[in-house]
Every structure is written in structure tokens, then in C-alpha cells.
């Protein structure tokens, strides 16, 4: 969410009006682990059978000859986990989905949440410049019912704790923007009420907003990214805890010299407690603030959640490929952190932090890419015991080639109902832009390369074309 996410793949965000901000889509999903109800919201289970499901968004996909009309593929999990054979394709020509497929609509990028709170995960999907669409889950899976969403917000959560789903977004009728809440999204896609949550002051310009219940009190909080109106090399990340009726600014404390601006955020549970954690990733921006940033190729830092918002016992600090225990070298263009996901891949109760390195060169193959798996611990991640996975790793199908961008997207399918987590990795540049997805099963020792599978668009029974299959996974 991966939340994603956003990650370089952040094109998925939608705000009230055009925005330049990259906002991880997944981050829009609130995550909390304490109460069973909250834990359930963390899962993606479209058909409510208890097995975690996955989806792949392919906005560049061709539908009925219409280029870049876009589609998504749902992979329902079962007792064997996720696999390419069991899948369901949804596009705007699918029966019951509002609208019809159109060239360049790029349907398919979505944010999962149980919007109508019936126990089945739903998906808020973007469809070009048209209204977004809510695909509702049900016993027969996603798309059982679908409606146009009539709100503007995109970060789904329950900000006032009334048990009904809201969406936060940015109203850009004024230049600096306002954070607004669409409250009580109805089963027909309507919005009960829209209210202003935060108003910018001074030179601040709101760029993005994510929902996360950092203090796990049942009221989603706002994580806001901002810039300045006259200075590109300016940015901030602010946490506002919900009081139910308003929001209270709560600073994020970091280790000395660690600045989190210009970063993207993925939400997940790293240290296994009841509070969600934030995974920050950043790459050099080419601006002056890079002087304060200890990396050429990208870095990751974890902010732990706690009863007061942040658990400041562990102060976030950038970890790079130059950190002890992390394979490889910290090099310009690695794009470390272009994608990120969190999930417990070794079953010890702590979430591994998976970070893409799509710009990593492997021998002479430029931008062949790779993926780093950071071991989750009670203290978050340290860099120790980090594993790297690429197409030259033993038992991983494929070959490292220039431009594969392996790790351009990563996603952990959460463990559920006795089924271990699955690590899903994508290489959007594989086979000259056709793309592809790899699946590795989790185990006591982490993701297992033996038995891993890869697949692309041909797994859907169509002749593959350059659609960057796996561009977005959730
Ligand atoms: Ca399921
Ligand atoms: Ca639902
Ligand atoms: Ca909260
Ligand atoms: Ca773990």
C-alpha cells in the first residue's frame, strides 16, 4: 500500500484537483492491529473467506482493442495461497461496472478498504478523469456490486470514529489547499457531508494526505505532506491525531540529522504491537536538501506508532545500502525505496520491510533491479540480516536484463488462516515493458526462492503487449 506506495508508482493518487504530490495509495488504508475489527481492516479479503486476496492493477492494459483503457486482476487466495491460475479480470466493460472501457482512461489503480463495513474488502478505483468507482466485495468476490463514488477524497478511513467510512482529500479551490473530509460514504457512493479538517497557514501548501490510526484509538489520524508556495526544496510530513471532532498536530521525532521531507510513506506493522508503523523511503531529489541526506541511491526509515501517536523510544534514522548488514552498495540511480511494503514473511510476529531497488545495476545489466527484505524486530529494522532478491538469485525465474526494473513494485500478501505470507514482486520493464509478477512463499526463514513462480499478461490468455503488468500490486 500499499497504501501504497507512493512510491514511484504514486501516480495512483487522486485529489480534488490536479496535484503534483505523490501520495502512496496504500497509505490511504488505515491499519491497526489491536482490536479484531481493526486487524480485519488490514486485510485484503474481497470474498470474505478469510484467505488474503491480491490484485494487480494494469492501467496501461488494452481492453477490446482500446489501448490504455486499463484493467485489474483479482487473485483470490485459498489454502495454497495466491497463484496465477485463479484470477478474475475486471475492466469498465465488465458487467455491473459503471461506464465503459475507453482508450487512455487508465482504469484500475485502487485503494482497498471495507467501505461499507460489511466484512468484505472493497476497492476505490480510479478511471481517468471520470468519477472513481467503488467495487464492492461479496461472497462471489470483487465487483459483486459497483457504484460511482461521488466524493472527492481518496484517503479512506474513519476519522471521527462513528463506524462509517470517510475519505480525506485536498480541496484546491485555494492555492495552498485545504484538507477536507468526505464523511459517511454511502452504499450508493454518496457522501453524507464534507467538512474542512485542516487549513494551511503561512507559506504551507498541502500536497498529499494519508489516513492511519497511529495511536490505535479507533479514529483515523491524518498524515499530511506539504510544501511551500515559493520554494521547491521545502517539504514536511506532519501527523495530526484525531480527537473525533478535530485534529491535533503531533510532531514526528527523528534521530539527529534525519529529515523526512521529500519522502513517501507506506503503512504497516513492523514491530508487531497494536500500533501501525510508517515506513519512510526517500531518494535524492537533486536539490540542496540532499546535503542532509546520507545516500546516493535511496534510504528507508521506520517511524513506530504508539499510544501518543509516535513511539519515540526508537528514533527513526535512515538506513541505506551502506548500512551494516545491507547487501550491495549505495549508488546513484538505485532508486531504493521506489516501492515498499510491510508484512510478516517469517512468521515471528514482526513485519519485514520490503523495499524495491528498480534502478540497481547487475553486472552489465543497467537498471535490472532488485529487492531488499529487511528483517522486522521489536525495535523496527536495523539493516542486520537483510536479504537481496533479484532475477539472478537461485531459483528465481528469469534473467537480469537492462531495464527490467525488478522491484518496481513490491507487495506482501498478509498471512491469514494458517497460510503464510506471500511476497509478490514486479518488474514493470521485463520483456521490453510487458512486465511481470513473481510470487515467493513465506517461511520460518523468510521468503523462499525455491518454488517461486513468475507470470505476465499471457497468464490471462492474451498475447502480451507493453502494458507494464504488475505496475501496481495490492
Ligand atoms: Ca479471500
Ligand atoms: Ca465491503
Ligand atoms: Ca487515532
Ligand atoms: Ca518477521
Amino acid at each position: 500500500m500499499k497504501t501504497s506506495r507512493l512510491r514511484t508508482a504514486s501516480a495512483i493518487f487522486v485529489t480534488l484537483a490536479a496535484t503534483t504530490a505523490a501520495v502512496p495509495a496504500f497509505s490511504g488504508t488505515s491499519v491497526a492491529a489491536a482490536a479484531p475489527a481493526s486487524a480485519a481492516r488490514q486485510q485484503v479479503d474481497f470474498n470474505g473467506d478469510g484467505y488474503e486476496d491480491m490484485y494487480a492493477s494494469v492501467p496501461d492494459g488494452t481492453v477490446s482493442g482500446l489501448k490504455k483503457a486499463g484493467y485489474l486482476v483479482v487473485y483470490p487466495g485459498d489454502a495454497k495461497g495466491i497463484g496465477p491460475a485463479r484470477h478474475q479480470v475486471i475492466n469498465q466493460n465488465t458487467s455491473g461496472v459503471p461506464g465503459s472501457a475507453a482508450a487512455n482512461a487508465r482504469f484500475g489503480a485502487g485503494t482497498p478498504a471495507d467501505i461499507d463495513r460489511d466484512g468484505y474488502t472493497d476497492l476505490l478505483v480510479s478511471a481517468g478523469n471520470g468519477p472513481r468507482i467503488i467495487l464492492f466485495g461479496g461472497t462471489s468476490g470483487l465487483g459483486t456490486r459497483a457504484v460511482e463514488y461521488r466524493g472527492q477524497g481518496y484517503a479512506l478511513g474513519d476519522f471521527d470514529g462513528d463506524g462509517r467510512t470517510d475519505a480525506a482529500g485536498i480541496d484546491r479551490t485555494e492555492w495552498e489547499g485545504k484538507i477536507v473530509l468526505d464523511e459517511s460514504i454511502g452504499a450508493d457512493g454518496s457522501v453524507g457531508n464534507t467538512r474542512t479538517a485542516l487549513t494551511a497557514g503561512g507559506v504551507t501548501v498541502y500536497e498529499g494526505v494519508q489516513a492511519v490510526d497511529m495511536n490505535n484509538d479507533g479514529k483515523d489520524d491524518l498524515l499530511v505532506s506539504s510544501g511551500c508556495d515559493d520554494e521547491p526544496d521545502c517539504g514536511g510530513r506532519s501527523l495530526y491525531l484525531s480527537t473525533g471532532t478535530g485534529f491535533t498536530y503531533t510532531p514526528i521525532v527523528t534521530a539527529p540529522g534525519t529529515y523526512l521531507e521529500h519522502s513517501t510513506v507506506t503503512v504497516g506493522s513492523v514491530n508487531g504491537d497494536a500500533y501501525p508503523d510508517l515506513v519512510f523511503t526517500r531518494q535524492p531529489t537533486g536539490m540542496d536538501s540532499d546535503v542532509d541526506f546520507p545516500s546516493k541511491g535511496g534510504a528507508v526509515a521506520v517511524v513506530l506508532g504508539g499510544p501518543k501517536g509516535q513511539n519515540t523510544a526508537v528514533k527513526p534514522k535512515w538506513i541505506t545500502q551502506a548500512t551494516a548488514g545491507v547487501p550491495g552498495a549505495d549508488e546513484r540511480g538505485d532508486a531504493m525505496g521506489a516501492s515498499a511494503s510491510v508484512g510478516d514473511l517469517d512468521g515471528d510476529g514482526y513485519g519485514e520491510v520490503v523495499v524495491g531497488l528498480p534502478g540497481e545495476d547487475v553486472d552489465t545489466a543497467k537498471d535490472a533491479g532488485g529487492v531488499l527484505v529487511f528483517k522486522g524486530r521489536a525495535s523496527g529494522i536495523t539493516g542486520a540480516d537483510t536479504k537481496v532478491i533479484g532475477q539472478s538469485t537461485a531459483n528465481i525465474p528469469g534473467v537480469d536484463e537492462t531495464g527490467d526494473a525488478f522491484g518496481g513494485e513490491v507487495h506482501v500478501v498478509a498471512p491469514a488462516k494458517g497460510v503464510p505470507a506471500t511476497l509478490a514482486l514486479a518488474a514493470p520493464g521485463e520483456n521490453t515493458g510487458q512486465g511481470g509478477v513473481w510470487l515467493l512463499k513465506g517461511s520460518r526463514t523468510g521468503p523462499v526462492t525455491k518454488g517461486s513462480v513468475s507470470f505476465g499478461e499471457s497468464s490471462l490468455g492474451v498475447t502480451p503487449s507493453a502494458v507494464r503488468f504488475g505496475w501496481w500490486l495490492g
Side-chain angles (χ1 to χ4, degrees), residues 86-396:
R86 263 161 57 86
H87 65 255
Q88 171 199 7
V89 177
I90 299 175
N91 60 53
Q92 274 193 284
N93 284 348
T94 300
S95 172
V97 177
S100 42
N104 299 310
R106 305 193 83 241
F107 169 88
T111 305
D114 184 4
I115 295 170
D116 60 359
R117 312 259 162 160
D118 65 353
Y120 302 96
T121 305
D122 315 309
L123 199 61
L124 177 63
V125 183
S126 61
N129 294 324
R132 276 164 295 154
I133 293 166
I134 301 172
L135 301 174
F136 286 103
T139 48
S140 55
L142 192 66
T144 306
R145 204 165 62 76
V147 298
E148 285 186 358
Y149 169 54
R150 287 182 234 143
Q152 303 284 328
Y154 54 90
L156 298 168
D158 178 11
F159 300 98
D160 50 12
D162 68 354
R164 286 181 290 192
T165 302
D166 317 309
I170 302 178
D171 179 341
R172 292 197 180 279
T173 51
E174 289 154 42
W175 161 252
E176 64 272 25
K178 282 188 297 192
I179 307 287
V180 293
L181 299 182
D182 290 336
E183 297 184 303
S184 302
I185 300 170
D188 59 354
S190 64
V191 169
N193 173 51
T194 297
R195 71 175 165 100
T196 299
L198 297 172
T199 306
V203 297
T204 298
V205 177
Y206 289 134
E207 294 184 339
V209 60
Q210 297 169 238
V212 53
D213 187 4
M214 280 298 278
N215 58 357
N216 192 28
D217 65 353
K219 299 185 287 290
D220 277 297
D221 310 310
L222 293 171
L223 185 66
V224 176
S225 60
S226 58
C228 301
D229 63 1
D230 57 352
E231 163 61 87
D233 194 9
C234 159
R237 282 282 177 178
S238 305
L239 176 65
Y240 293 87
L241 295 177
S242 174
T243 62
T245 53
F247 294 89
T248 306
Y249 171 68
T250 307
I252 295 174
V253 179
T254 61
T258 298
Y259 304 100
L260 301 176
E261 68 269 24
H262 301 308
S263 53
T264 57
V265 180
T266 303
V267 178
S269 175
V270 181
N271 69 347
D273 67 11
Y275 306 97
D277 308 313
L278 307 177
V279 173
F280 283 75
T281 55
R282 185 194 193 274
Q283 287 130 43
T285 60
M287 294 185 277
D288 290 348
S289 58
D290 285 354
V291 170
D292 299 319
F293 183 59
S295 171
K296 297 192 197 79
V300 58
V302 173
V303 172
L304 299 176
K308 294 179 177 169
Q310 182 189 5
N311 170 1
T312 55
V314 179
K315 297 202 174 45
K317 189 169 191 289
W318 291 122
I319 294 171
T320 74
Q321 280 188 285
T323 302
V326 184
D330 176 40
E331 298 148 311
R332 192 165 297 283
D334 284 345
M336 175 175 161
S339 61
S341 186
V342 182
D344 186 8
L345 287 159
D346 56 15
D348 66 355
Y350 303 120
E352 276 59 61
V353 175
V354 182
V355 169
L357 280 172
E360 180 93 322
D361 300 343
V362 182
D363 296 328
T364 58
K366 282 195 184 315
D367 300 341
V371 168
L372 294 170
V373 180
F374 292 90
K375 184 164 176 54
R377 301 167 196 277
S379 58
I381 59 173
T382 63
D385 306 314
T386 305
K387 291 179 185 170
V388 65
I389 299 169
Q391 288 188 68
S392 48
T393 304
N395 301 312
I396 297 285

Side-chain angles (χ1 to χ4, degrees), residues 44-53 76-77:
V44 175
D45 185 6
F46 299 121
N47 59 2
D49 63 359
Y51 294 111
E52 185 83 355
D53 308 324

